[in-house]
Amino acid sequence: MTTKIKTNKSRFSLELGLAYLSVGLIIAYLVLAFQRLPATTNLALTIPLVVILSFLIDGLKNVIESLSVIRRKPSIKPFSALTNSQLTVVIACHNGESTVGRTVKSVRQSLPGALIIVVDDASNDETSHHALTGGAKVLKLGYNRGKVGAIHRVLKLIRTEFVMIMDDDMIIGQIQLPYYLLDKYDAVAFNVVPTGKGKWVKLQRFEYRKSMQIGKNYHAPSGSVLCVSGAIGLFRTSRLQDQIELHSGEFSGEDLERTLLIHSTIPDSHAKGVTYVNQVIYTEVPTNLKDLFRQRCLGWGPGFMANAWLLCKLLVRRSSNWRLRVEAFYNLSNLLLDILRIAALPILFRYPLIFIVMYGSYLLLDSIAWLTTNRYEAYWIVLVMPFYGIFNLVTRFIGIIIWLYREVIELMYLKMRHNPDSYKVAPLSLQALSFLMNIEIG
């Protein structure tokens, strides 16, 4: 039985406060370490210098994957007799009156014949009204279950062969869904592209292009795509229904967990996993530094940590695709390297020659990715990306601290341990205690 989620709003202020405090501590460390470093490099800095070089791993990986993608011959799409009548589109929504109507209309226009269900997760605005007006059926929940709980509630009722899960702020154009791929694979990821204006949106757009057009595209033929974005994904309904009891229900990293569960439960005689199709779907992303910081520190970072154990399972699972195992190893290694990178970061700024060499190398590697993704973004984006990479490094590190904070709360609040996102409903006293414990750890 799922307990009603009554989020303690103080959690957000404590978590955000812990994130900001972590930034302050990192800056203090950088300043102190910078002052203590010798004026010139010496043998004692050999190991930290090797860690600094690890900053280039992402770029080298992108180059290797880019070369594979460029050399790949275009595939011929086979004819498929499947139609949208075999598809249910699920949109879980809480207080989304400003976006859900537009999203439903775009789906109805692009995918005629599909059943559209908006799960109104106990909204206290006009979400249901706008969804109905747009042409969707609405399942109104009596209490807030969270995104995963809302999706699972409606999954039990779906009878169509395929299901598409979407966020309420997505816009899709005139597309033809690749149902033919689901004869061979369990799920399909799309080319999700941020929409909007501003420098932070442009940085994220290039980041997304590298992830989608290079990373996911590289893994598409082998079915080893690691994560189907929570923004939108196409699945075989039965595969999602099979994991209702397996998914933790946690919101942070819910899309990664969903995809990893598909990979980790593939029978030997079943489909090949998760693939990717280069069909553009537009999504909204944070438009300012504060919102982007919150997304990465309170969402993506803790979400990855929560799913690290599933990555470990894939890594040691003999039947896992070799590319999937390499990807799992890469992500787990990055987790350990990030801690060392933070420790070695002062060296990057203390010695100008090291900084120039690293910046130039990073720039060269990202320029190759820029060319591979057809130079959509202005080149100044590529020039700034090394600094954006440091921002992502810091937020990933803080994400580890936030994850520890939540784990401490859940361990102390055993009464709700079996419920998804139980740290959200813990008493303020436990949240404060966890906050202080994490400060001590820091």
Side-chain angles (χ1 to χ4, degrees):
M1 179 178 178
T2 303
T3 302
K4 181 177 179 179
I5 298 176
K6 290 183 178 179
T7 303
N8 191 331
K9 292 185 178 180
S10 61
R11 175 184 69 87
F12 295 104
S13 59
L14 281 174
E15 285 192 349
L16 197 57
L18 181 59
Y20 287 146
L21 178 61
S22 300
V23 171
L25 292 174
I26 290 172
I27 293 174
Y29 162 74
L30 293 178
V31 171
L32 291 173
F34 184 91
Q35 293 173 345
R36 291 175 177 269
L37 285 171
T40 58
T41 57
N42 53 49
L43 291 176
L45 296 176
T46 302
I47 295 178
L49 282 173
V50 172
V51 174
I52 287 294
L53 289 174
S54 73
F55 278 93
L56 301 178
I57 291 178
D58 288 348
L60 289 171
K61 178 174 177 289
N62 276 333
V63 169
I64 294 172
E65 293 175 348
S66 294
L67 293 174
S68 176
V69 169
I70 291 171
R71 294 171 57 186
R72 185 185 304 156
K73 295 180 180 180
S75 59
I76 300 175
K77 297 179 181 180
F79 171 77
S80 176
L82 297 173
T83 66
N84 294 330
S85 62
Q86 294 167 292
L87 173 73
T88 297
V89 179
V90 174
I91 304 172
C93 187
H94 177 70
N95 292 342
E97 64 178 6
S98 62
T99 56
V100 69
R102 180 187 61 184
T103 298
V104 168
K105 288 178 182 177
S106 76
V107 174
R108 189 162 53 84
Q109 293 170 1
S110 302
L111 302 173
L115 173 63
I116 307 171
I117 301 178
V118 171
V119 188
D120 185 343
D121 194 17
S123 300
N124 50 28
D125 62 4
E126 296 298 317
T127 291
S128 292
H129 171 73
H130 287 282
L132 288 168
T133 302
K137 293 183 180 297
V138 174
L139 175 62
K140 177 79 172 181
L141 302 183
Y143 61 87
N144 183 241
R145 295 171 180 252
K147 179 180 178 180
V148 179
I151 291 172
H152 287 174
R153 175 67 181 85
V154 75
L155 272 177
K156 299 175 181 179
L157 307 175
I158 293 176
R159 296 293 179 266
T160 55
E161 188 174 358
F162 310 111
V163 60
M164 177 183 285
I165 295 177
M166 289 181 60
D167 280 347
D168 61 2
D169 58 357
M170 301 295 296
I171 297 296
I172 60 175
Q174 295 300 321
I175 63 172
Q176 185 174 2
L177 293 183
Y179 295 116
Y180 65 92
L181 288 173
L182 292 176
D183 290 336
K184 187 177 181 182
Y185 303 98
D186 286 309
V188 181
F190 294 88
N191 183 6
V192 179
V193 176
T195 183
K197 298 179 180 180
K199 57 181 178 296
W200 294 109
V201 174
K202 291 177 181 178
L203 286 167
Q204 291 173 83
R205 191 176 294 137
F206 182 51
E207 177 187 30
Y208 274 58
R209 287 194 197 282
K210 289 193 295 181
S211 172
M212 304 289 170
Q213 296 178 25
I214 297 176
K216 285 183 171 60
N217 203 1
Y218 168 77
H219 287 279
S222 59
S224 54
V225 172
L226 196 66
C227 180
V228 177
S229 170
I232 185 169
L234 180 64
F235 304 86
R236 296 188 66 86
T237 305
S238 60
R239 296 295 282 141
L240 293 191
Q241 290 173 333
D242 289 344
Q243 65 173 244
I244 290 177
E245 300 301 324
L246 300 176
H247 199 291
S248 69
E250 298 280 346
F251 173 70
S252 295
E254 53 89 19
D255 49 355
L256 177 59
E257 183 177 358
R258 183 179 299 116
T259 313
L260 293 178
L261 283 173
I262 289 175
H263 283 303
S264 62
T265 57
I266 295 177
D268 293 336
S269 60
H270 197 63
K272 289 181 61 178
V274 181
T275 190
Y276 162 86
V277 64
N278 194 29
Q279 290 189 0
V280 176
I281 308 292
Y282 293 99
T283 186
E284 295 182 359
V285 295
T287 58
N288 57 68
L289 179 59
K290 181 180 179 180
D291 289 344
L292 182 61
F293 180 81
R294 288 175 61 117
Q295 180 200 60
R296 302 301 166 94
C297 293
L298 307 186
W300 290 16
F304 174 80
M305 288 297 301
N307 288 293
W309 68 278
L310 277 175
L311 287 171
C312 292
K313 286 180 64 176
L314 285 179
L315 183 61
V316 300
R317 190 170 183 256
R318 292 184 177 181
S319 59
S320 294
N321 180 287
W322 72 267
R323 288 191 180 187
L324 187 63
R325 297 174 78 173
V326 169
E327 189 72 8
F329 176 78
Y330 165 78
N331 280 275
L332 291 170
S333 299
N334 258 349
L335 176 62
L336 299 176
L337 281 173
D338 279 348
I339 300 173
L340 298 176
R341 286 166 180 163
I342 288 288
L345 202 54
I347 296 174
L348 191 62
F349 297 102
R350 181 66 176 87
Y351 306 108
L353 181 59
I354 294 177
F355 178 84
I356 292 172
V357 171
M358 290 299 300
Y359 178 81
S361 302
Y362 200 109
L363 188 62
L364 175 63
L365 295 173
D366 254 5
S367 295
I368 296 174
W370 179 68
L371 292 171
T372 305
T373 55
N374 299 318
R375 299 177 293 177
Y376 278 109
E377 273 65 54
Y379 193 69
W380 72 264
I381 296 292
V382 183
L383 296 174
V384 175
M385 284 306 289
F387 302 100
Y388 184 70
I390 293 176
F391 166 80
N392 279 330
L393 167 64
V394 171
T395 56
R396 289 197 303 269
F397 180 76
I398 295 174
I400 297 174
I401 297 173
I402 299 299
W403 174 77
L404 286 171
Y405 163 83
R406 294 176 180 176
E407 287 298 303
V408 170
I409 290 176
E410 293 192 345
L411 285 172
M412 292 189 296
Y413 199 41
L414 294 176
K415 175 183 175 182
M416 297 289 291
R417 180 70 176 172
H418 63 285
N419 285 282
D421 296 325
S422 56
Y423 59 86
K424 294 182 178 180
V425 296
L428 179 59
S429 57
L430 287 184
Q431 296 184 44
L433 179 58
S434 177
F435 179 89
L436 294 173
M437 291 177 67
N438 275 270
I439 292 177
E440 287 293 325
I441 292 174

